[in-house]
PDB file of all heavy atoms in Angstrom:
ATOM      1  N   ASN A 851       9.934  -6.314   3.499  1.00 93.00           N
ATOM      2  CA  ASN A 851      10.248  -7.197   2.388  1.00 93.00           C
ATOM      3  C   ASN A 851      10.966  -8.388   2.905  1.00 93.00           C
ATOM      4  O   ASN A 851      11.891  -8.226   3.747  1.00 93.00           O
ATOM      5  CB  ASN A 851      11.102  -6.383   1.359  1.00 93.00           C
ATOM      6  CG  ASN A 851      11.014  -7.053  -0.043  1.00 93.00           C
ATOM      7  OD1 ASN A 851      10.596  -8.209  -0.181  1.00 93.00           O
ATOM      8  ND2 ASN A 851      11.299  -6.212  -1.000  1.00 93.00           N
ATOM      9  N   HIS A 852      10.696  -9.560   2.307  1.00 96.00           N
ATOM     10  CA  HIS A 852      11.479 -10.748   2.571  1.00 96.00           C
ATOM     11  C   HIS A 852      11.436 -11.563   1.297  1.00 96.00           C
ATOM     12  O   HIS A 852      10.406 -11.945   0.742  1.00 96.00           O
ATOM     13  CB  HIS A 852      10.734 -11.566   3.690  1.00 96.00           C
ATOM     14  CG  HIS A 852      11.510 -12.870   3.986  1.00 96.00           C
ATOM     15  ND1 HIS A 852      10.907 -13.885   4.645  1.00 96.00           N
ATOM     16  CD2 HIS A 852      12.741 -13.293   3.643  1.00 96.00           C
ATOM     17  CE1 HIS A 852      11.741 -14.893   4.745  1.00 96.00           C
ATOM     18  NE2 HIS A 852      12.870 -14.502   4.128  1.00 96.00           N
ATOM     19  N   GLY A 853      12.707 -11.709   0.703  1.00 95.00           N
ATOM     20  CA  GLY A 853      12.801 -12.380  -0.575  1.00 95.00           C
ATOM     21  C   GLY A 853      13.750 -13.454  -0.512  1.00 95.00           C
ATOM     22  O   GLY A 853      14.685 -13.471   0.253  1.00 95.00           O
ATOM     23  N   THR A 854      13.514 -14.501  -1.339  1.00 96.00           N
ATOM     24  CA  THR A 854      14.478 -15.670  -1.422  1.00 96.00           C
ATOM     25  C   THR A 854      14.655 -15.959  -2.942  1.00 96.00           C
ATOM     26  O   THR A 854      13.977 -15.400  -3.773  1.00 96.00           O
ATOM     27  CB  THR A 854      13.915 -16.864  -0.716  1.00 96.00           C
ATOM     28  OG1 THR A 854      12.659 -17.273  -1.296  1.00 96.00           O
ATOM     29  CG2 THR A 854      13.743 -16.726   0.745  1.00 96.00           C
ATOM     30  N   GLY A 855      15.677 -16.691  -3.184  1.00 96.00           N
ATOM     31  CA  GLY A 855      16.038 -17.046  -4.516  1.00 96.00           C
ATOM     32  C   GLY A 855      16.757 -15.992  -5.274  1.00 96.00           C
ATOM     33  O   GLY A 855      16.740 -15.959  -6.496  1.00 96.00           O
ATOM     34  N   CYS A 856      17.496 -15.111  -4.522  1.00 93.00           N
ATOM     35  CA  CYS A 856      18.245 -14.125  -5.177  1.00 93.00           C
ATOM     36  C   CYS A 856      19.357 -14.653  -6.016  1.00 93.00           C
ATOM     37  O   CYS A 856      20.004 -15.602  -5.568  1.00 93.00           O
ATOM     38  CB  CYS A 856      18.751 -13.106  -4.142  1.00 93.00           C
ATOM     39  SG  CYS A 856      17.542 -12.364  -3.101  1.00 93.00           S
ATOM     40  N   THR A 857      19.686 -14.113  -7.182  1.00 93.00           N
ATOM     41  CA  THR A 857      20.599 -14.612  -8.008  1.00 93.00           C
ATOM     42  C   THR A 857      22.028 -14.131  -7.651  1.00 93.00           C
ATOM     43  O   THR A 857      23.027 -14.878  -7.888  1.00 93.00           O
ATOM     44  CB  THR A 857      20.443 -14.263  -9.482  1.00 93.00           C
ATOM     45  OG1 THR A 857      20.308 -12.804  -9.591  1.00 93.00           O
ATOM     46  CG2 THR A 857      19.093 -14.903  -9.964  1.00 93.00           C
ATOM     47  N   ALA A 858      22.177 -13.058  -6.959  1.00 87.00           N
ATOM     48  CA  ALA A 858      23.462 -12.488  -6.589  1.00 87.00           C
ATOM     49  C   ALA A 858      23.683 -12.874  -5.092  1.00 87.00           C
ATOM     50  O   ALA A 858      22.847 -12.559  -4.192  1.00 87.00           O
ATOM     51  CB  ALA A 858      23.617 -10.994  -6.689  1.00 87.00           C
ATOM     52  N   THR A 859      24.742 -13.647  -4.770  1.00 82.00           N
ATOM     53  CA  THR A 859      25.052 -14.022  -3.367  1.00 82.00           C
ATOM     54  C   THR A 859      26.264 -13.360  -2.860  1.00 82.00           C
ATOM     55  O   THR A 859      26.611 -13.626  -1.726  1.00 82.00           O
ATOM     56  CB  THR A 859      25.034 -15.568  -3.269  1.00 82.00           C
ATOM     57  OG1 THR A 859      26.122 -16.050  -4.129  1.00 82.00           O
ATOM     58  CG2 THR A 859      23.748 -16.173  -3.585  1.00 82.00           C
ATOM     59  N   LYS A 860      26.965 -12.617  -3.700  1.00 83.00           N
ATOM     60  CA  LYS A 860      28.153 -11.911  -3.195  1.00 83.00           C
ATOM     61  C   LYS A 860      28.425 -10.688  -4.224  1.00 83.00           C
ATOM     62  O   LYS A 860      27.905 -10.741  -5.320  1.00 83.00           O
ATOM     63  CB  LYS A 860      29.356 -12.775  -3.117  1.00 83.00           C
ATOM     64  CG  LYS A 860      29.823 -13.374  -4.353  1.00 83.00           C
ATOM     65  CD  LYS A 860      31.025 -14.302  -4.201  1.00 83.00           C
ATOM     66  CE  LYS A 860      31.524 -14.933  -5.475  1.00 83.00           C
ATOM     67  NZ  LYS A 860      32.630 -15.673  -5.325  1.00 83.00           N
ATOM     68  N   GLY A 861      29.270  -9.812  -3.724  1.00 86.00           N
ATOM     69  CA  GLY A 861      29.533  -8.705  -4.661  1.00 86.00           C
ATOM     70  C   GLY A 861      29.492  -7.379  -3.917  1.00 86.00           C
ATOM     71  O   GLY A 861      29.540  -7.200  -2.741  1.00 86.00           O
ATOM     72  N   GLN A 862      29.346  -6.282  -4.713  1.00 89.00           N
ATOM     73  CA  GLN A 862      29.366  -4.951  -4.208  1.00 89.00           C
ATOM     74  C   GLN A 862      28.039  -4.518  -3.699  1.00 89.00           C
ATOM     75  O   GLN A 862      26.978  -5.115  -4.080  1.00 89.00           O
ATOM     76  CB  GLN A 862      29.794  -3.904  -5.335  1.00 89.00           C
ATOM     77  CG  GLN A 862      31.124  -4.168  -5.860  1.00 89.00           C
ATOM     78  CD  GLN A 862      31.494  -3.247  -7.009  1.00 89.00           C
ATOM     79  OE1 GLN A 862      30.630  -2.677  -7.667  1.00 89.00           O
ATOM     80  NE2 GLN A 862      32.783  -3.090  -7.246  1.00 89.00           N
ATOM     81  N   LEU A 863      28.025  -3.582  -2.778  1.00 86.00           N
ATOM     82  CA  LEU A 863      26.831  -2.991  -2.251  1.00 86.00           C
ATOM     83  C   LEU A 863      26.396  -1.744  -3.006  1.00 86.00           C
ATOM     84  O   LEU A 863      27.242  -0.964  -3.460  1.00 86.00           O
ATOM     85  CB  LEU A 863      26.939  -2.549  -0.764  1.00 86.00           C
ATOM     86  CG  LEU A 863      27.307  -3.683   0.250  1.00 86.00           C
ATOM     87  CD1 LEU A 863      27.593  -3.061   1.537  1.00 86.00           C
ATOM     88  CD2 LEU A 863      26.184  -4.662   0.306  1.00 86.00           C
ATOM     89  N   ALA A 864      25.114  -1.569  -3.289  1.00 86.00           N
ATOM     90  CA  ALA A 864      24.601  -0.340  -3.914  1.00 86.00           C
ATOM     91  C   ALA A 864      23.423   0.191  -3.177  1.00 86.00           C
ATOM     92  O   ALA A 864      22.567  -0.581  -2.871  1.00 86.00           O
ATOM     93  CB  ALA A 864      24.345  -0.637  -5.378  1.00 86.00           C
ATOM     94  N   LEU A 865      23.376   1.381  -2.986  1.00 84.00           N
ATOM     95  CA  LEU A 865      22.237   2.075  -2.309  1.00 84.00           C
ATOM     96  C   LEU A 865      21.587   3.017  -3.311  1.00 84.00           C
ATOM     97  O   LEU A 865      22.309   3.718  -4.079  1.00 84.00           O
ATOM     98  CB  LEU A 865      22.676   2.893  -1.098  1.00 84.00           C
ATOM     99  CG  LEU A 865      23.492   2.127  -0.037  1.00 84.00           C
ATOM    100  CD1 LEU A 865      24.009   3.007   1.070  1.00 84.00           C
ATOM    101  CD2 LEU A 865      22.571   1.065   0.531  1.00 84.00           C
TER     102      LEU A 865
END
Side-chain angles (χ1 to χ4, degrees):
N851 203 341
H852 180 196
T854 59
C856 301
T857 56
T859 57
K860 63 181 180 178
Q862 298 176 340
L863 297 175
L865 303 174

